[in-house]
Structures are given as structure tokens and as C-alpha cells.
Amino acid sequence: MFDIDLISRHFLAVYFLFIAVHYASTAIGLNSRTSKSHIQYGEKGSATWWIRQVFNLFRGAILLICIARVFYPIDTWLGIIEPLYTPWVLSIGMLTMLVSLGFVSYSHAYMRQDWRSGIDSDNSRALLTKGPFSHSRNPMFLAIMLGQLGLFLALPSLFTLVCLLVGVAMVHAQAIKEEHALNELYDKDYQNYKTQVPRWLF
């Protein structure tokens, strides 16, 4: 008989460790190949800078808590939502997170060296409108929000509910900022793209 609680604890710890290593190694590898940083925080104190700080704070807290849960009984501090803490919900949450990871990896692979985290003022690159970008103007953000929903289901608690709500708010705010920047960089090309493809899926 599988202990789904034990499986989910180890799954979450390994998952977020993998995400941290993958994100860092991708940024380092691209920097090594192109001699430029692909992570843009924006001007210190700006809205985009604060969005990134909040996002990083929550991402770090999630990683530490998921690792700590493997070794210490800290669930009572997280405000576990007992009616949702069932094998089916935990399983659906883990599956949702794997689907999210698949979409993130696909988007990364499609973008290759064009990938940026944050707003880049370089308009020498072609505007991406094909592949995942033909269905949504923000496929990576969609995948991230799906992963945040998966985390809430894999660990139903007040902590992950706050992470979900704050995460979605930060992603939405960042998407708006990036749209304004892309509108300035690509002008009519981006305006035409906006009329053809939705911000999310609808």
C-alpha cells in the first residue's frame, strides 16, 4: 500500500530542488553562451524589481518548507486544510505540477536563447508568435500558475493558498508590465499580435 503522504512530501522536496537547479543552470548556461544575463530585475525599487523580490521570497520559502517537511513535523504551522488533504487531491496536485513542468520545459526549449526572465529592452530579436505563443501571449506564465495550483493541491494549506493567490497576482502584474514594454519595442507588430492571440487562453 502506497503512503501518499510520504510520497507527496518527498515529491515536493525533490521537485522544488530540481526547479532551483534547472533555473540556475539554464541562466548560467545561456550567460556562458551569449555573454549576457538573461535575468532582468529592472531598476532597483521599480515595480518589476519588487515583483521579482516578492516572487523570489515566496519561491525560497516554498523550497525551504518543502525540504523541512521531509525531516520535521511542521504541518501544523502551515494551516493544513484537512478536508482537502486526501490521497486523491494530493495525487492530482502532483500530477498537475508535473504537467506544469512539462509545459515550462517545452516553452524553454522553444524559446532557446531568446528566453528572458524579466523585461529586456533588446528588440533585435524577432517577436515570438508561433508554437506555444500562437495560443497564449504568456505560455510560460500560464505554466507557472498551473504549477502554483498544483502545489496548493499537493499541499492543501493556508500557506500554499497564500502562495497561490500572491503568485497569481505577481504573475498577472508582471505580464501587464511586459506587455507595455513589448508594445514599445515592437509597436504595430505587437499590437497586431495582441489582436490575434489572447493574454492567457481566452
Side-chain angles (χ1 to χ4, degrees):
M1 187 69 180
F2 292 113
D3 185 341
I4 195 66
D5 176 69
L6 185 63
I7 291 173
S8 68
R9 287 173 187 272
H10 286 82
F11 171 85
L12 290 175
V14 172
Y15 183 95
F16 285 106
L17 273 174
F18 173 81
I19 292 295
V21 172
H22 171 74
Y23 184 78
S25 60
T26 297
I28 293 170
L30 286 171
N31 182 276
S32 176
R33 180 179 180 184
T34 63
S35 299
K36 64 168 60 175
S37 175
H38 286 61
I39 300 177
Q40 311 293 330
Y41 277 70
E43 184 180 350
K44 188 173 183 179
S46 66
T48 54
W49 185 86
W50 278 111
I51 290 170
R52 176 54 62 90
Q53 301 308 314
V54 171
F55 201 80
N56 284 346
L57 175 65
F58 275 85
R59 184 162 53 185
I62 290 168
L63 173 61
L64 291 175
I65 285 174
C66 287
I67 292 175
R69 290 181 71 237
V70 174
F71 304 100
Y72 305 103
I74 64 171
D75 282 10
T76 54
W77 302 347
L78 304 179
I80 296 296
I81 303 174
E82 295 294 344
L84 293 179
Y85 204 89
T86 66
W88 274 108
V89 174
L90 300 186
S91 298
I92 291 171
M94 289 186 285
L95 179 60
T96 301
M97 292 175 71
L98 288 175
V99 172
S100 165
L101 179 59
F103 282 132
V104 168
S105 297
Y106 173 73
S107 297
H108 265 296
Y110 187 87
M111 297 171 77
R112 300 184 68 186
Q113 65 265 31
D114 287 332
W115 171 77
R116 297 290 188 278
S117 178
I119 297 174
D120 190 352
S121 59
D122 178 15
N123 67 348
S124 63
R125 294 172 289 110
L127 179 66
L128 293 176
T129 60
K130 306 298 183 182
F133 295 91
S134 65
H135 304 289
S136 168
R137 300 200 303 269
N138 299 282
M140 187 75 78
F141 285 164
L142 269 179
I144 290 172
M145 290 190 289
L146 181 64
Q148 291 170 330
L149 174 62
L151 170 61
F152 171 68
L153 297 175
L155 176 53
S157 64
L158 296 180
F159 168 70
T160 54
L161 179 58
V162 170
C163 289
L164 172 61
L165 296 176
V166 172
V168 169
M170 292 299 101
V171 166
H172 185 267
Q174 182 67 16
I176 299 296
K177 293 291 183 182
E178 291 190 8
E179 284 187 5
H180 289 170
L182 289 170
N183 200 56
E184 292 181 3
L185 288 172
Y186 295 99
D187 197 21
K188 290 184 179 179
D189 287 342
Y190 188 70
Q191 292 176 31
N192 291 335
Y193 174 56
K194 284 175 65 175
T195 64
Q196 298 170 17
V197 179
R199 175 181 293 157
W200 304 117
L201 285 175
F202 308 101

